[in-house]
């Protein structure tokens, strides 16, 4: 059986979004990115922009947590549908109180919902980590050297080489912080993926062909 879900993790300006979109079109899968945020916001009953901000900026989490109690009634069905542990939503003896883990649980729940339905290319949100060990999921990292990525960013945005290099370094730090905050991963390793694509070497089309070949092989 071929893989039914492809997760594309990517560093900034490595071309992962375009590669993911091309793969989705070739496989006739859904391309899923912002939808993860939208679904998590539905579970939390808050503005999607707040969930998106909570992924990256810790000070905004409290504003999200203040509203998460409203999502508690949805926890049972969500947990059963997605495989997220029921005890992650267990109420306290004095009633449900949102905790800092909740945004992560909601985002993971949304990722699991998409994966359960299948036929999807999930880009970003560390879906490869959320779905680790799940059958039928191909986990791919699309990356390139900081120098190459900075050059691409400078050309794409019309900014200086120094500004582009600063932006790439900042993005990489935020990526590391995301893995640490959401998944307790201090070091991202190649072995956490099934396939690592280096777009320093491979063109986007070559990257797509390699991933397609892997995705259509037996899972």
């Amino acid at each position: 059986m071929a893989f039914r879900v492809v997760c594309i993790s990517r560093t900034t300006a490595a071309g992962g979004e375009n590669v993911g979109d091309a793969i989705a079109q070739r496989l006739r899968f859904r391309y899923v990115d912002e939808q993860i945020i939208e679904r998590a916001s539905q579970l939390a009953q808050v503005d999607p922009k707040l969930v998106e901000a909570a992924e990256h900026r810790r000070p905004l989490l409290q504003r999200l947590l203040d509203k998460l109690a409203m999502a508690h009634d949805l926890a049972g069905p969500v947990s059963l549908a997605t495989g997220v542990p029921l005890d992650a939503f267990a109420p306290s003896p004095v009633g449900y109180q949102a905790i800092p883990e909740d945004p992560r649980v909601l985002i993971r729940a949304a990722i699991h919902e998409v994966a359960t339905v299948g036929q999807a290319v999930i880009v970003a949100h560390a879906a490869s980590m959320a779905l680790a060990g799940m059958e039928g999921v191909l986990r791919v990292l699309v990356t390139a050297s900081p120098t190459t990525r900075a050059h691409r960013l400078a050309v794409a945005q019309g900014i200086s080489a120094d500004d582009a290099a600063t932006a790439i370094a900042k993005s990489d730090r935020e990526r590391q912080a995301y893995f640490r905050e959401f998944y307790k991963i201090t070091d991202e390793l190649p072995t956490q993926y099934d396939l690592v694509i280096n777009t320093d070497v491979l063109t986007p089309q070559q990257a797509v062909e390699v991933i397609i070949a892997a995705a259509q092989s037996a899972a």
Side-chain angles (χ1 to χ4, degrees), residues 18-53:
N18 291 337
V19 168
D21 183 58
I23 292 167
Q25 292 185 43
R26 286 278 298 276
L27 295 177
R28 297 186 178 180
F29 280 7
R30 293 172 296 150
Y31 179 91
V32 180
D33 187 349
E34 290 84 359
Q35 295 95 321
I36 295 294
I37 292 295
E38 292 172 2
R39 180 55 182 148
S41 70
Q42 290 171 2
L43 299 177
Q45 299 182 10
V46 297
D47 190 315
K49 292 181 180 179
L50 186 57
V51 179
E52 183 177 12

Side-chain angles (χ1 to χ4, degrees), residues 90-97:
S92 67
V94 294
Y96 179 72
Q97 293 180 347

